[in-house]
Amino acid sequence: MGMSVGSDSTHEDEGIVDINTTPLIDVMLVLLIMLIITIPLQTHSVAIDLPQGNPPPSTVQPKLVTVSIGYDNSISWNNEPITSEASLQAHFQAAAAMPDQPEMHIHPDRLADYKTVAHVMADAQRLGMTKLGIVGLDQFMEGQ
């Protein structure tokens, strides 16, 4: 490795003072290959007993309660108009107290206030209803 030291040289041939990285790259490649070779292959398998075939369909139909919220924010329980907040809460408490709690489908109209829908859902959850769902969302799709 030749390198000229001193300021009195007027030659154009000055030595390169950069570090040679070729040996470092070679060492890193060798270490990488050794690491790849020594990693064990993941050939272990786990035996899982999966069910075979189709299960028979359920013969018991779930109980269903439909709470509709109209365009004028009127609330109905299975097509019966609800006139007061206390009546709605009584319906929720009676449904939540059943041993086999019914599914509650909330069907809001497109023009119903969000406040009313959120209030009905919050009351249902607060009073113990656990099977809630909003149906009829196709009316909110674009272009309809």
Side-chain angles (χ1 to χ4, degrees):
M1 192 159 112
M3 187 167 104
S4 73
V5 179
S7 61
D8 59 341
S9 70
T10 58
H11 300 289
E12 294 287 327
D13 298 334
E14 293 186 7
I16 300 173
V17 292
D18 292 336
I19 189 167
N20 189 2
T21 58
T22 304
L24 293 176
I25 294 172
D26 290 343
V27 169
M28 292 303 293
L29 287 175
V30 168
L31 290 175
L32 181 65
I33 291 170
M34 289 175 58
L35 179 70
I36 290 173
I37 291 173
T38 58
I39 292 177
L41 295 176
Q42 298 296 326
T43 58
H44 299 79
S45 62
V46 177
I48 299 176
D49 294 329
L50 296 174
Q52 300 296 323
N54 295 329
S58 176
T59 58
V60 177
Q61 295 294 328
K63 295 178 183 175
L64 182 65
V65 172
T66 302
V67 177
S68 299
I69 302 171
Y71 67 92
D72 57 350
N73 297 322
S74 62
I75 301 171
S76 63
W77 182 279
N78 286 338
N79 296 327
E80 292 179 18
I82 301 293
T83 57
S84 68
E85 179 73 22
S87 175
L88 179 65
Q89 290 181 4
H91 278 88
F92 284 143
Q93 287 173 343
M98 291 179 163
D100 185 24
Q101 194 177 92
E103 292 181 8
M104 188 173 88
H105 292 183
I106 300 174
H107 191 280
D109 188 82
R110 184 177 192 156
L111 301 175
D113 290 341
Y114 174 78
K115 177 182 174 183
T116 305
V117 177
H119 179 73
V120 168
M121 291 177 63
D123 277 351
Q125 183 181 15
R126 182 176 50 84
L127 295 172
M129 295 295 293
T130 56
K131 299 177 182 178
L132 299 172
I134 298 178
V135 296
L137 294 179
D138 54 338
Q139 64 182 333
F140 298 104
M141 304 272 286
E142 292 293 324
Q144 292 190 8

